[in-house]
Amino acid sequence: MFKKILFVAFLVISFLEVEAQVYEYRIVTSIESVVPMGLGRSRIISNQEDKDYMEYTSSRTVESKKQNKSKRKEAKVDDFDETKILNFYSATGINFQNIASNDALLSSKVNTMIEQGWELSFVTSGVESDAGKGDGTGIFITRFIFKRIKA
């Protein structure tokens, strides 16, 4: 009986300890151009400066129609990492070597983040692709969302 009580107490304490953890999050974004012949700008971007979103947020209610007067340029971060990667297309079409090269660079970034104590939590992506003849623009964007226990 004592062992059962001890085991239940251990489980409860473990659960409370896990619930008490506070996480911090970091987002890394890859932007891969689908513009052919190297004309696009593909990058891996990660911020090195934190911003408080509340400084750029206003709340509107039925009673208060106050508009947000913060300046967009004040929201910009000056400290960020920018890693050049390759475009999906070359002059002849899809370039699989470029895709493999981007995968190698993205893997390196993810592995570095994990070595620094970050855990990959979510990955989300979207695309705005070439709409056909005469368009010639498009990007493939992926956001890697990492978390780690806040110190």
Side-chain angles (χ1 to χ4, degrees), residues 98-114:
N98 286 4
I99 293 169
S101 300
N102 290 356
D103 288 351
L105 291 168
L106 283 164
S107 294
S108 174
K109 178 66 176 179
V110 169
N111 287 332
T112 298
M113 297 287 292
I114 290 170

Side-chain angles (χ1 to χ4, degrees), residues 30-32 42-44 83-88 95-112 123 140 142 144:
S30 71
I31 302 156
E32 297 173 275
S42 298
R43 304 283 191 274
I44 301 171
T83 305
K84 288 186 178 182
I85 56 178
L86 304 166
N87 296 338
F88 275 167
N95 188 317
F96 297 107
Q97 185 178 18
N98 286 4
I99 293 169
S101 300
N102 290 356
D103 288 351
L105 291 168
L106 283 164
S107 294
S108 174
K109 178 66 176 179
V110 169
N111 287 332
T112 298
V123 178
F140 186 80
T142 305
F144 301 84

Side-chain angles (χ1 to χ4, degrees), residues 8-150:
V8 170
F10 174 75
L11 286 177
V12 169
I13 290 170
S14 296
F15 177 75
L16 292 175
E17 197 171 298
V18 168
E19 290 298 311
Q21 294 175 342
V22 177
Y23 293 99
E24 63 179 322
Y25 291 85
R26 179 71 40 130
I27 299 173
V28 173
T29 302
S30 71
I31 302 156
E32 297 173 275
S33 174
V34 295
V35 177
M37 296 185 287
L39 298 176
R41 293 176 29 190
S42 298
R43 304 283 191 274
I44 301 171
I45 304 294
S46 55
N47 68 302
Q48 297 301 321
E49 178 183 338
D50 292 327
K51 289 282 186 175
D52 181 359
Y53 82 98
M54 286 303 295
E55 292 180 26
Y56 310 97
T57 302
S58 62
S59 297
R60 291 188 187 196
T61 64
V62 172
E63 295 85 28
S64 170
K65 304 228 187 284
K66 184 178 177 184
Q67 291 186 352
N68 188 332
K69 299 292 184 183
S70 62
K71 304 291 183 201
R72 289 180 201 227
K73 67 181 178 182
E74 293 171 4
K76 289 187 177 188
V77 298
D78 293 318
D79 301 326
F80 63 95
D81 293 336
E82 178 179 358
T83 305
K84 288 186 178 182
I85 56 178
L86 304 166
N87 296 338
F88 275 167
Y89 289 110
S90 63
T92 59
I94 254 185
N95 188 317
F96 297 107
Q97 185 178 18
N98 286 4
I99 293 169
S101 300
N102 290 356
D103 288 351
L105 291 168
L106 283 164
S107 294
S108 174
K109 178 66 176 179
V110 169
N111 287 332
T112 298
M113 297 287 292
I114 290 170
E115 288 168 5
Q116 295 171 348
W118 295 96
E119 174 187 334
L120 183 59
S121 295
F122 308 100
V123 178
T124 184
S125 62
V127 65
E128 189 287 308
S129 62
D130 189 328
K133 186 176 182 180
D135 184 359
T137 63
I139 60 168
F140 186 80
I141 185 169
T142 305
R143 289 218 159 99
F144 301 84
I145 303 170
F146 294 87
K147 73 176 182 180
R148 71 178 174 190
I149 297 172
K150 199 169 192 172

